[in-house]
Amino acid sequence: MSRFSQPDPELTHRLSRRGMLGVAAGATAAALLGAAATPATAATAPTSTAAGRGRPVLPPGRLGIQLYSLRDKVSTLGFAPVFAELEKYGYDEVEFAGYTQGSAGPITLAQLRRLARDHGLNPIGSHVGYYADDPNAYTFADNLTKVLDDAQALGLRHIGTASGPFRYGSTVDAWKRAAEDFNTYGAAAKARGMKFYQHNHSEEFSFATDNPKVRLYDVLLAETDPDLVFLEMDIFWAYSGQFRFSKRPDGSPAPFEPLDYVLRQPHRYPLFHVKDGVSDPADTYGYRMTDVGDGDIDYQRFLSAVTRLRGERLAHHWQAEHDQPTESFTFARRSSAYLHSLREKC
């Protein structure tokens, strides 16, 4: 059930300004937010008590979307119609999950970069595979130069992988070896003015098979150079990891709070995946994925805690995502509306 139902004045202003600058918004924010709460997309819900009052929790210019969530639309319609919709919904950035568009026909990287910019979207990052058995695979391990060439052609500031650091296994030494790989990729990216990053799933928070007292995510943080390797916390999967791995294999308690990782080293987390879930202890992962704003992850708390840190309000990029949305445009529209509705509590 959605937590919002009112038009958001900050989003209305932003879309109106885009229209004045000649970047056609295609829909008013009031229509956007009203449509997001109609029976066609979700049952009407209680009005958010935060909407319309106080400073927006979401920093201006920092809302993006992981295009994997819209892969069905990209493959059937192409990037142009997808970017046009995202512009209407108030997105500022896009994170790629591949640069082709299936049946919609070929597109060059130069065209793709220009197309995004024409719709007011900043290409902020991209996911690429870590390694593969095929030496010609488009991965960091097998084609690092090509991966970085393409990222540079798109004007990306971040280039990363959603692959876990399990290439050599799940022991402490295996993750140290993976960290060495990541340091190498990070140095190469930094030489080109970009940041290399790794996106987590829940398994990164599991324990080393040779030392069950050690959490593997802690090995990754300790063994990678903080000036070369950055993290994109997928907040949904981090809380799933909390559900799955708050006890060691022997049953002893090992609680952790995902937000604490960020607050301890905020500079290491330039990117986030904003993905929501309904708590379900019967589910293997502890949550059932849903549209942002319809779940039990407290994004008011999480975003506020990070953006209130001194000097950090504009230092992070928030990418909405849903692995299997019921209807991907609806997900994109409603997630933007919800996040724009959040206000800091007085």
Side-chain angles (χ1 to χ4, degrees):
M1 185 173 289
S2 176
R3 297 173 183 166
F4 61 86
S5 61
Q6 291 187 8
D8 173 58
E10 191 267 342
L11 180 55
T12 302
H13 172 75
R14 288 178 60 251
L15 292 180
S16 297
R17 184 173 182 274
R18 283 187 177 186
M20 288 188 291
L21 292 173
V23 183
T28 65
L32 162 63
L33 288 163
T38 63
T41 56
T44 301
T47 299
S48 169
T49 57
R53 297 194 298 272
R55 185 173 72 161
V57 170
L58 183 72
R62 291 296 185 271
L63 179 61
I65 192 166
Q66 167 50 254
L67 291 172
Y68 180 75
S69 303
L70 297 158
R71 59 195 181 279
D72 62 323
K73 298 296 194 294
V74 172
S75 65
T76 56
L77 303 176
F79 282 109
V82 171
F83 288 170
E85 289 299 305
L86 295 177
E87 182 182 9
K88 292 178 187 178
Y89 305 158
Y91 283 94
D92 310 294
E93 302 173 337
V94 289
E95 182 183 32
F96 289 98
Y99 311 133
T100 58
Q101 50 182 348
S103 62
I107 187 169
T108 67
L109 295 178
Q111 290 172 328
L112 187 53
R113 181 180 185 179
R114 184 167 58 250
L115 186 63
R117 297 294 170 84
D118 286 347
H119 288 285
L121 298 168
N122 180 31
I124 193 66
S126 181
H127 285 188
V128 177
Y130 170 14
Y131 67 96
D133 293 333
D134 179 2
N136 298 312
Y138 190 78
T139 67
F140 282 96
D142 301 294
N143 268 296
L144 178 60
T145 298
K146 174 62 174 170
V147 167
L148 296 181
D149 284 347
D150 289 349
Q152 204 162 23
L154 276 169
L156 301 182
R157 293 168 54 191
H158 309 84
I159 181 69
T161 184
S163 302
F166 292 95
R167 181 182 186 182
Y168 308 107
S170 300
T171 65
V172 172
D173 284 344
W175 273 52
K176 287 182 177 180
R177 288 183 64 190
E180 290 176 7
D181 288 347
F182 285 5
N183 285 333
T184 298
Y185 310 150
K190 184 177 182 180
R192 306 231 197 167
M194 293 179 284
K195 292 180 178 179
F196 169 81
Y197 64 94
Q198 194 268 341
H199 161 286
N200 65 275
H201 292 87
S202 61
E203 289 78 9
E204 280 87 337
F205 297 95
S206 62
F207 299 94
T209 53
D210 62 330
N211 189 344
K213 293 184 178 180
V214 175
R215 193 179 303 280
L216 289 171
Y217 195 72
D218 295 336
V219 177
L220 179 67
L221 285 169
E223 297 296 327
T224 50
D225 187 327
D227 292 326
L228 301 178
V229 177
F230 299 86
L231 291 308
E232 176 179 60
M233 179 175 280
D234 185 303
I235 300 168
F236 171 93
W237 288 121
Y239 280 101
S240 172
Q242 180 192 59
F243 170 83
R244 297 179 67 193
F245 303 112
S246 283
K247 291 184 179 180
R248 298 183 181 88
D250 65 3
S252 60
F256 73 95
E257 166 56 52
L259 178 58
D260 288 345
Y261 278 106
V262 182
L263 298 182
R264 284 194 293 265
Q265 300 186 71
H267 65 286
R268 297 206 71 177
Y269 294 88
L271 303 171
F272 292 90
H273 273 189
V274 181
K275 183 186 299 180
D276 212 344
V278 176
S279 178
D280 182 0
D283 188 282
T284 301
Y285 297 101
Y287 293 87
R288 290 179 285 105
M289 205 172 293
T290 189
D291 292 354
V292 181
D294 287 351
D296 294 313
I297 296 176
D298 190 346
Y299 277 110
Q300 175 89 27
R301 168 179 171 266
F302 197 103
L303 270 76
S304 292
V306 177
T307 58
R308 283 177 177 173
L309 293 172
R310 185 170 183 175
E312 297 293 328
R313 180 159 173 78
L314 296 176
H316 309 276
H317 305 265
W318 307 89
Q319 315 296 307
E321 189 186 32
H322 192 316
D323 292 357
Q324 298 286 344
T326 301
E327 207 293 315
S328 56
F329 278 155
T330 300
F331 155 74
R333 181 178 68 245
R334 297 181 72 250
S335 298
S336 172
Y338 172 72
L339 290 167
H340 279 104
S341 78
L342 294 177
R343 291 292 182 274
E344 290 188 356
K345 297 178 181 178
C346 299

